[in-house]
Amino acid sequence: MSETQSNSHYPTLLQPLDLGFTRLKNRVLMGSMHTGLEDIPDSHRRLAAFYAERARGGVGLIVTGGFMASEFCLPEGIEPLFRDASQVSRHRLITDAVHRHDSKICLQILHTGRYSRTGRALAPTAIAAPINPTVPIEASEEQIQQQIDAFVEFASFSQQAGYDGVEIMGSEGYFLNEFIVERTNRRQDAWGGSYEKRIRLPLEVVRRVRKRTGDRFIIIFRLSMLDLVEGGSTFDEVLELGRELVRAGVTLINTGIGWHEAPIPTIATMVPRAAFTWVTARFRREVDVPVITSNRINTPEVAESVLARGDADMVSLARPFLADAEFVKKAETGRADEINTCIACNQACLDHIFSGRLTSCLVNPRACHETELEIAPAQLPRKLAVVGAGPAGLAAAVTAARRGHRVTLLEADSQVGGQFNLARRIPGKEEFQETIRYFTRQLQLLGIELRLGKAITAEDLNNGEFDQVILATGIVPRKPDIDGIDHPCVAGYVEVIRGEVQIGRRVAIIGAGGIGFDVAQLLSSESQAENQDIRSYLWQWGIDPELKARGGIEGVAPGHQVSPREIFLLQRKQSRPGAGLGKTTGWIHRAELKQRGVKMLAGCHYRKIDDHGLHLEVNGEPVLLEVDSIVICAGQEPRRELCTGLQVPYRLIGGADEALELDAKRAIDQATRLAATL
Ligand code: FAD
Ligand code: NAP
Ligand code: SF4
């Protein structure tokens, strides 16, 4: 593809960026993501395969996951990578693999500061972070010099290993960021006190790295443009640091939004697309190096419009490259509708990392498993029927067809998507529609025969048409055994989400799992569109759109959305409602419902339902909830009636196999792995 051709689709996005000593082939940066592969000994081949696949997919510049700068970030006895000279040749595997595809790659140097989970953390001042019980050690002058040396040695190591540059992590509340703000830096020596002294450390690191690596090495500084914590920087201070960083020798400045401890969602699915590029735009006007923007940019259209209106010189997309390694190539060749879009669920990426598991992707289980989950041509192509076009059936059908099987997909509904057609109706989960769009397009491209609108019976499959059947028929919502469960005020979540029943002003929701929370979100929202608007998002979370408040939030009261209903969200367990939700998103769901006054009750024992409402005991005390409507969200059972009488060999996947704790991540992963072996 020639440059002129490629530029016709997304002219700004696909334009090269001249950095003087080197040129990036487009404006797309794959942002740093810790995958967990960095922590596995001898995983260079897996990392090389992971990055090579993204480089082959056309990305201009890759930033690796963070590599730890200092022993204070690593478990006792483990040395930072740069101290082991034998690692240079191993990292050559990664850089060579990327360079073969004409992409560039920078290594991110990360010093975790007081966020270190190793039990010993180093910070400017001995103040523990609210999200980490470890009280950090206050760094001595000698220790500060050692940390600077570590950044410099790591940069030099990266240069020897063939990296095109480094990204110095200076945002998200990590070590360098901690020196910058009074919240975490109370020193009165040469590294604290005035702003000038607080920014001395990041500037010293950049100057020394530039001096060591010379003029032809990319230095990206990830700068916290909006801390979103009390006691953070003002925007004027951010601009001052930006100008000083340019003088110190950075090549590019990347946007950081929000510290890890900030109680504000910045990348989850309810955050509107491109919600923070206006911050980068304000910065870019004042600072004289190319600037990269980030956060919730997940389609080429959004990326193009952000760049075309001048908000930034480059866009950083991270999770979208887990979802689809070929994001850029598809955009270049006019195939954006074939992109497997990141739905910002965090379920297989951030949630995994925060619970010590390897990163992957809900919509693409091959991410970070490239060497192990191969989709190779089938040795014996067969005629397969896949029954049920929910996430499991769609993933199985598409994977099997890619391998050369002849696939027929049979779905009772008039559309594909299964329960994702319910999920996408929840305010803040509109992105789930993208997964349905992606699979629909793949069905067309792969020539999968789609038969909609008929509930399939065993007889339909026993006619010799198919060699094998995959049953992906999903679930049946559980109907709990409560006296009065058939009362007219009771409705199931499916009918409620589809808008098929009228729901009154006082509502009890039985079951506080993921679906109970989603139903509470739906019933407490005024309209489905409210979460899509950047202004209302900023208002809801108390972020100053004028950038006058310190840290972007100080003195700004969050706006409280008012629920049109009084809602009770109930569970039998004694544990905190929502405790089982995603590690990185559960707190957001709880906070949103709390803002709207949803009352959550644990320890419920349901007695009966009648004209007065729901009678229950809460922790042994009798309670009557005088509600107009009761919505049942009490989990599911597998839907498997098709197995009876089926004479063709079959396999069960998704909810049809196991409904307990089933989510789309498990459904798609199981389906893809099964279809990869048929
Ligand atoms: P389903 O999605 O249930 O698909 C089964 C399909 O089979 C259906 O389309 C059905 O019509 C069809 N079918 C059944 N019987 C027949 C038959 N006899 N003939 C033909 N077709 C038949 N998961 C997450 O991971 N993250 C989330 O944030 C999330 N949010 C959710 C929000 C809501 C409101 C809901 C309802 C679910 C949510 N889920 C979420 C759960 C997720 O959607 C399910 O885990 C997933 O859809 C299960 O996939 P499946 O393919 O096994 O089943
Ligand atoms: P779930 O998470 O298993 O929750 C079921 C709820 O029903 C629980 O609160 C349970 O709590 C209650 N319950 C179970 N049996 C009951 C009974 N017999 N009588 C009364 N209450 C009963 O299931 P779900 O909410 O239906 O969600 C289905 C799947 O979709 C989940 O696995 C979830 O991961 C996924 N999902 C995920 C998200 C997300 O944000 N990641 C969102 C939506 C759905 P008690 O037993 O304590 O009462
Ligand atoms: Fe995006 Fe979810 Fe995949 Fe993470 S798991 S990359 S958030 S789609």
Side-chain angles (χ1 to χ4, degrees):
M1 155 104 4
S2 78
E3 213 163 79
T4 345
Q5 269 176 314
S6 67
N7 282 354
S8 64
H9 296 294
Y10 300 97
T12 330
L13 184 69
L14 300 173
Q15 209 175 72
L17 179 65
D18 190 355
L19 298 176
F21 58 92
T22 189
R23 197 178 89 130
L24 307 178
K25 66 180 173 186
N26 54 49
R27 306 291 176 119
V28 188
L29 176 129
M30 173 174 154
S32 174
M33 284 177 287
H34 193 76
T35 62
L37 287 172
E38 299 82 357
D39 309 327
I40 302 174
D42 296 323
S43 63
H44 304 83
R45 274 172 222 292
R46 286 185 73 172
L47 272 173
F50 171 68
Y51 288 123
E53 207 161 285
R54 274 80 199 158
R56 196 165 43 244
V59 62
L61 177 61
I62 292 172
V63 178
T64 67
F67 284 91
M68 301 303 175
S70 151
E71 53 270 36
F72 284 101
C73 320
L74 289 160
E76 190 96 46
I78 300 194
E79 290 281 315
L81 196 66
F82 67 86
R83 299 225 177 103
D84 178 357
S86 71
Q87 293 285 349
V88 167
S89 56
R90 293 184 180 178
H91 275 255
R92 276 266 171 207
L93 276 180
I94 298 171
T95 53
D96 287 348
V98 169
H99 291 152
R100 263 197 292 280
H101 301 290
D102 189 29
S103 278
K104 300 209 166 6
I105 181 162
C106 294
L107 179 143
Q108 189 192 67
I109 312 175
L110 168 68
H111 194 310
T112 48
R114 69 179 191 155
Y115 286 156
S116 172
R117 291 269 167 194
T118 61
R120 55 192 195 125
L122 193 72
T125 304
I127 306 170
I131 55 170
N132 186 3
T134 306
V135 179
I137 302 161
E138 178 166 321
S140 65
E141 174 68 33
E142 190 189 355
Q143 283 170 326
I144 291 175
Q145 292 300 341
Q146 284 164 357
Q147 310 313 301
I148 299 173
D149 290 345
F151 274 97
V152 176
E153 293 307 323
F154 219 141
S156 173
F157 166 92
S158 308
Q159 201 168 28
Q160 289 165 48
Y163 285 97
D164 301 280
V166 287
E167 178 172 79
I168 296 168
M169 178 40 127
S171 67
E172 330 298 287
Y174 288 122
F175 189 64
L176 298 180
N177 205 173
E178 287 160 17
F179 270 81
I180 296 167
V181 300
E182 271 179 353
R183 176 185 179 83
T184 39
N185 183 350
R186 308 279 165 82
R187 304 174 74 98
Q188 290 301 329
D189 60 1
W191 306 98
S194 65
Y195 188 65
E196 199 188 341
K197 288 184 184 167
R198 295 203 305 273
I199 61 176
R200 202 181 139 210
L201 179 63
L203 294 175
E204 194 62 16
V205 167
V206 172
R207 267 187 222 111
R208 297 255 324 267
V209 168
R210 174 58 75 209
K211 194 163 169 224
R212 173 68 78 86
T213 55
D215 290 340
R216 304 180 66 80
F217 193 64
I218 299 172
I219 302 178
I220 309 170
F221 191 88
R222 182 97 180 263
L223 172 63
S224 186
M225 293 197 194
L226 207 52
D227 294 321
L228 300 182
V229 289
E230 304 260 327
S233 298
T234 63
F235 198 65
D236 283 341
E237 288 173 343
V238 171
L239 291 175
E240 188 181 331
L241 176 54
R243 292 186 200 103
E244 291 298 328
L245 284 167
V246 176
R247 278 186 210 113
V250 292
T251 322
L252 292 158
I253 293 179
N254 196 358
T255 303
I257 300 287
W259 286 32
H260 285 309
E261 67 204 58
I264 295 175
T266 53
I267 57 167
T269 192
M270 65 286 288
V271 177
R273 290 176 174 178
F276 290 100
T277 65
W278 57 278
V279 182
T280 317
R282 291 272 299 272
F283 181 85
R284 183 177 182 242
R285 273 183 238 146
E286 312 278 340
V287 177
D288 201 17
V289 284
V291 177
I292 305 158
T293 195
S294 68
N295 288 56
R296 286 287 282 120
I297 299 169
N298 65 343
T299 69
E301 288 76 15
V302 173
E304 174 66 21
S305 66
V306 163
L307 294 178
R309 67 174 177 250
D311 285 2
D313 301 278
M314 282 186 88
V315 282
S316 168
L317 288 70
R319 298 170 298 169
F321 283 104
L322 294 175
D324 198 328
E326 295 194 316
F327 182 99
V328 176
K329 195 190 261 181
K330 288 178 181 174
E332 267 175 1
T333 49
R335 296 184 293 130
D337 61 344
E338 294 176 31
I339 291 175
N340 197 358
T341 303
C342 165
I343 57 174
C345 65
N346 287 356
Q347 286 176 238
C349 50
L350 284 180
D351 285 351
H352 275 207
I353 281 302
F354 282 96
S355 50
R357 284 179 292 166
L358 206 59
T359 285
S360 189
C361 174
L362 179 142
V363 299
N364 174 24
R366 281 196 73 246
C368 299
H369 296 274
E370 287 76 10
T371 52
E372 158 240 336
L373 178 50
E374 287 189 60
I375 313 297
Q379 297 199 331
L380 180 64
R382 279 183 281 186
K383 288 178 279 175
L384 299 181
V386 178
V387 186
L394 288 165
V398 163
T399 308
R402 276 190 191 137
R403 298 188 56 229
H405 292 299
R406 214 171 94 203
V407 181
T408 306
L409 181 58
L410 306 146
E411 168 57 51
D413 203 349
S414 58
Q415 57 185 345
V416 303
Q419 292 176 65
F420 265 30
N421 285 306
L422 300 175
R424 71 183 170 84
R425 291 171 185 244
I426 306 298
K429 278 194 164 175
E430 295 80 0
E431 292 283 11
F432 283 59
Q433 171 59 34
E434 294 291 346
T435 305
I436 300 177
R437 186 263 311 142
Y438 164 75
F439 276 120
T440 305
R441 184 74 183 115
Q442 294 301 314
L443 299 181
Q444 292 164 353
L445 291 167
L446 291 161
I448 293 170
E449 189 189 344
L450 178 62
R451 297 182 198 164
L452 292 170
K454 180 178 188 317
I456 299 301
T457 61
E459 269 173 29
D460 295 325
L461 301 167
N462 288 341
N463 59 7
E465 192 183 351
F466 305 108
D467 304 324
Q468 183 157 11
V469 173
I470 298 176
L471 291 182
T473 44
I475 50 84
V476 188
R478 183 179 288 127
K479 188 173 171 184
D481 185 14
I482 304 171
D483 188 10
I485 191 76
D486 292 319
H487 190 278
C489 74
V490 179
Y493 67 83
V494 176
E495 297 73 40
V496 172
I497 298 172
R498 285 192 187 141
E500 291 168 356
V501 285
Q502 284 288 331
I503 297 296
R505 297 197 73 79
R506 299 193 81 217
V507 187
I509 299 173
I510 291 184
I515 293 177
F517 266 76
D518 277 354
V519 167
Q521 176 80 19
L522 177 75
L523 296 179
S524 63
S525 300
E526 283 290 358
S527 79
Q528 287 219 357
E530 63 186 288
N531 288 295
Q532 290 304 295
D533 172 53
I534 293 176
R535 281 236 152 225
S536 55
Y537 157 78
L538 299 176
W539 168 80
Q540 183 190 350
W541 294 97
I543 302 169
D544 174 19
E546 307 298 326
L547 290 178
K548 290 192 178 122
R550 181 170 284 283
I553 56 155
E554 233 174 72
V556 186
H560 280 236
Q561 290 175 349
V562 180
S563 168
R565 297 186 175 85
E566 187 180 4
I567 298 172
F568 300 89
L569 182 56
L570 314 172
Q571 70 175 30
R572 297 173 303 176
K573 288 187 284 290
Q574 288 289 353
S575 56
R576 189 170 53 137
L581 297 177
K583 225 174 162 59
T584 62
T585 50
W587 67 272
I588 310 170
H589 295 300
R590 283 191 296 273
E592 284 199 305
L593 294 192
K594 232 167 125 187
Q595 280 174 8
R596 294 170 190 191
V598 172
K599 296 178 190 74
M600 299 181 204
L601 302 180
C604 300
H605 184 67
Y606 311 114
R607 285 283 174 216
K608 69 170 177 180
I609 297 164
D610 62 19
D611 291 347
H612 299 290
L614 175 61
H615 301 256
L616 67 162
E617 281 172 21
V618 182
N619 297 319
E621 293 294 316
V623 173
L624 169 63
L625 295 179
E626 293 177 73
V627 291
D628 311 307
S629 306
I630 297 169
V631 185
I632 306 298
C633 305
Q636 297 97 12
E637 309 283 353
R639 184 189 289 276
R640 290 192 192 140
E641 61 268 19
L642 255 180
C643 300
T644 316
L646 189 58
Q647 287 154 13
V648 189
Y650 69 87
R651 303 287 292 267
L652 290 161
I653 55 170
D657 177 38
E658 173 64 275
L660 187 68
E661 293 182 358
L662 173 82
D663 59 11
K665 180 181 73 174
R666 201 179 85 202
I668 292 177
D669 185 76
Q670 184 193 24
T672 307
R673 285 176 190 276
L674 171 71
T677 58
L678 288 176

